[in-house]
Amino acid sequence: MGNRFSTKSKTNGSKSSRRSGGGNRSKSKLQSDEELLHIQALSLAIQHHQSSQRFEGSMSRRIGSAGSRRRSNPVSDPPLNTEKQQKQSPEFLENLETKNIVLIHGEGFGAWCWYKNIVLLEELGMIPTAIDLSGSGIDLKDTNNVTTLEEYSKPLIDYLQNLPEDDKVILVGHSSGGACVSYAMEQFQQKISKAVFLCGTMLSNGQKPFDVFAEQLGSAELFMKESKFLIHGNGKDNPATGFMFEKQQMRGLYFNQSPAKDIALAMVSMRPVPLGPMMQNLSLSKEKYGTGRRFYIQTLDDHALSPDIQEKLVRENPPEGVFKIKGSDHCPFFSKPQSLHKILLEIAQIA
């Protein structure tokens, strides 16, 4: 099973996420040292967040069918009063179908990226779980050996398989993590209360995750031939196994509105992206995926997946509801965590 992250285990420094896999003693020692450094950096970030709850943001929403009326000017998002919400939480929680929110990161990220929203959700009495996909975060699997979406999504699938029979969850998939959410909906539709695509790859049947980014990165064929970001884990004479943008490129694509401390955390924590899962056509049925409840959160200052492309995804594959975060880059869990928090709570309350 994949690694799961919670603030309670990370902040005290005495526990670490469960790790799978083996390896020789030197590899284990190196991984242990890297994990310790990462936990220390994450703990500092969490402490910084807990000392200040001021996050600014704005949002608008569109609920209903694709033809619903749309607000062109997102309204201002007032500061969230977490103390007031904590007092109201028992009644609030009683009316929810589920308190369980499972957070799935996007390409190169890991469970660590959700730390701000985990804190906010736990303060309210929700039960957030952030999962490292295969080869991501502190999962030990070599990225070069993750060749299919099934392998990449295995930690999420294992988690859903082990849920008690009557339990349901809300899945939140960021960026390419949306493809893992779609895959999980096809496998475990009965265990998923709602699926939330956060500037994510909300695919249609037969699409591959890379197709969503093709307008900005070029066609899959061209990317495989000419991209300077490709990684050939099995040697230059063999097909590419992954890719990773340079730090300056990542800053411009992902973090154009994010705080410096979060960018610094990302720069030391991001890992290569396995290429195989990004290039795999996804098979989605009307009977399973098609009957799931889908919601989309658009990020309006996104350089990795432009607002126009996100709008196209929504138009071509209409979800039940669409929300927008003004002033957010591709990582609203960093740049607009308060706005993202409010939207997740609103989606959780939709009957």
Side-chain angles (χ1 to χ4, degrees):
M1 181 170 295
N3 303 294
R4 299 184 206 165
F5 167 75
S6 72
T7 53
K8 292 178 182 177
S9 63
K10 292 293 185 182
T11 52
N12 61 23
S14 63
K15 299 180 183 177
S16 62
S17 295
R18 184 168 41 173
R19 299 182 300 170
S20 60
N24 58 41
R25 296 181 74 179
S26 60
K27 182 177 179 180
S28 298
K29 178 65 166 59
L30 178 61
Q31 181 68 28
S32 178
D33 291 343
E34 290 178 349
E35 183 177 337
L36 178 60
L37 288 172
H38 177 67
I39 290 171
Q40 290 172 342
L42 195 54
S43 296
L44 289 173
I46 292 171
Q47 290 167 15
H48 187 285
H49 165 71
Q50 290 174 327
S51 67
S52 172
Q53 294 184 347
R54 291 187 68 247
F55 293 95
E56 298 177 356
S58 58
M59 58 167 277
S60 70
R61 62 173 182 165
R62 178 171 46 148
I63 299 287
S65 66
S68 297
R69 192 172 177 180
R70 177 180 172 186
R71 292 181 187 168
S72 56
N73 297 311
V75 296
S76 179
D77 184 15
L80 190 66
N81 189 334
T82 55
E83 182 179 351
K84 180 180 179 181
Q85 288 207 357
Q86 280 180 301
K87 293 178 181 178
Q88 297 175 340
S89 63
E91 181 181 351
F92 164 80
L93 295 173
E94 285 176 6
N95 297 325
L96 296 181
E97 180 183 17
T98 179
K99 295 185 292 183
N100 298 307
I101 296 185
V102 180
L103 304 165
I104 308 301
H105 62 81
E107 66 284 353
F109 292 86
W112 52 267
C113 71
W114 300 102
Y115 79 92
K116 290 180 179 178
N117 284 101
I118 287 175
V119 172
L120 290 169
L121 289 166
E122 285 185 340
E123 284 175 347
L124 200 60
M126 301 293 285
I127 305 174
T129 301
I131 294 177
D132 283 320
L133 298 172
S134 296
S136 305
I138 59 170
D139 183 86
L140 283 174
K141 193 170 183 66
D142 186 349
T143 304
N144 296 308
N145 295 329
V146 181
T147 58
T148 66
L149 193 61
E150 180 180 6
E151 291 176 283
Y152 190 48
S153 305
K154 188 176 186 301
L156 172 60
I157 298 305
D158 288 346
Y159 173 86
L160 293 172
Q161 278 181 330
N162 288 300
L163 272 180
E165 186 175 348
D166 296 331
D167 280 13
K168 287 192 174 186
V169 300
I170 296 171
L171 291 188
V172 182
H174 170 242
S175 197
S176 66
C180 298
V181 169
S182 297
Y183 179 77
M185 292 176 72
E186 186 68 20
Q187 306 298 317
F188 293 98
Q189 194 274 334
Q190 74 281 5
K191 291 188 177 183
I192 300 169
S193 169
K194 300 181 182 80
V196 182
F197 295 82
L198 176 60
C199 49
T201 50
M202 186 173 64
L203 304 178
S204 299
N205 181 44
Q207 280 189 308
K208 59 174 73 75
F210 191 89
D211 290 342
V212 177
F213 299 95
E215 289 188 31
Q216 292 178 242
L217 297 178
S219 68
E221 293 75 16
L222 188 63
F223 186 83
M224 294 283 284
K225 286 181 180 179
E226 300 182 4
S227 176
K228 62 180 181 179
F229 306 114
L230 292 175
I231 296 169
H232 293 264
N234 298 321
K236 281 286 185 182
D237 295 333
N238 292 307
T241 55
F243 68 92
M244 189 170 187
F245 296 118
E246 296 172 352
K247 289 186 176 182
Q248 195 58 36
Q249 186 86 358
M250 282 194 286
R251 288 174 184 269
L253 282 174
Y254 294 118
F255 310 118
N256 50 292
Q257 297 293 335
S258 293
K261 69 181 188 301
D262 293 321
I263 299 175
L265 176 64
M267 291 300 101
V268 299
S269 302
M270 293 187 75
R271 291 178 62 181
V273 183
L275 192 60
M278 293 287 289
M279 298 299 179
Q280 181 179 329
N281 291 324
L282 200 55
S283 179
L284 300 170
S285 68
K286 293 181 180 179
E287 295 76 21
K288 295 179 180 179
Y289 174 80
T291 59
R293 302 186 68 184
R294 292 178 291 111
F295 298 82
Y296 200 95
I297 302 177
Q298 296 179 346
T299 43
L300 301 186
D301 200 5
D302 194 325
H303 292 178
L305 195 65
S306 73
D308 288 343
I309 293 176
Q310 294 183 48
E311 185 64 31
K312 182 180 178 182
L313 287 174
V314 167
R315 188 171 59 250
E316 293 181 347
N317 189 15
E320 182 176 331
V322 176
F323 297 77
K324 301 172 185 290
I325 306 180
K326 182 181 179 181
S328 173
D329 55 22
H330 195 59
C331 301
F333 39 75
F334 288 158
S335 58
K336 295 291 180 182
Q338 201 85 312
S339 296
L340 175 57
H341 177 67
K342 290 180 65 177
I343 292 172
L344 292 179
L345 292 183
E346 187 164 353
I347 291 173
Q349 294 177 78
I350 297 174

